[in-house]
Amino acid sequence: MKSLFSENDIVLPEWLEILLEKVDRDTVQELLAEHEEYQTFCAKRKELLNQYPVIEKLLDDNGEVRISEQEHQAVLEYLQVRDKIENKERLYHYLYGHIHCYEYMKKIGVIKHENQ
């Protein structure tokens, strides 16, 4: 990963990988608990995977796969739903990053008041 402020690579400590996994789990849990649109997307993804097992075969397996027009439409819909889920997760990761940064800056005294 490149630094925003230089051409140098950023070397992340191992503990940060553990933290990122926790943030990822927490993000998904919160979205599932609090965000109706995200819940709908996840339910639709599950429905499509159950109704069209060829989707997993197409995405996970090697080799030739033949699909019908209806299955093709289901694959396209699945990809759209998956993108919406991933975009929502990315947005929340981004927002949590700002929240965590703000909390840390307050803790170390860089920010002294709520309005800064």
Side-chain angles (χ1 to χ4, degrees), residues 17-79:
E17 289 182 35
I18 296 168
L19 179 61
L20 291 173
E21 289 174 12
K22 181 187 180 335
V23 169
D24 189 48
R25 281 191 311 273
D26 291 351
T27 298
V28 171
Q29 286 176 352
E30 180 165 336
L31 284 167
L32 283 170
E34 304 291 332
H35 199 281
E36 191 173 321
E37 185 180 39
Y38 183 83
Q39 295 166 3
T40 302
F41 294 150
C42 289
K44 185 63 177 176
R45 176 180 61 186
K46 184 177 181 179
E47 175 189 323
L48 288 166
L49 289 171
N50 288 335
Q51 189 173 358
Y52 299 97
V54 72
I55 293 172
E56 282 187 280
K57 183 171 178 55
L58 182 68
L59 297 176
D60 295 339
D61 289 347
N62 292 326
E64 185 175 334
V65 177
R66 294 186 186 272
I67 60 175
S68 69
E69 178 64 29
Q70 184 179 8
E71 290 168 329
H72 181 246
Q73 292 304 316
V75 169
L76 294 176
E77 184 177 1
Y78 171 83
L79 293 173

Side-chain angles (χ1 to χ4, degrees), residues 3 11 13-14 16 33 40-42 74 84 92 95 104:
S3 169
V11 178
E14 288 181 35
L16 189 55
T40 302
F41 294 150
C42 289
K84 289 177 183 179
Y92 271 66
L95 295 174
Y104 179 71

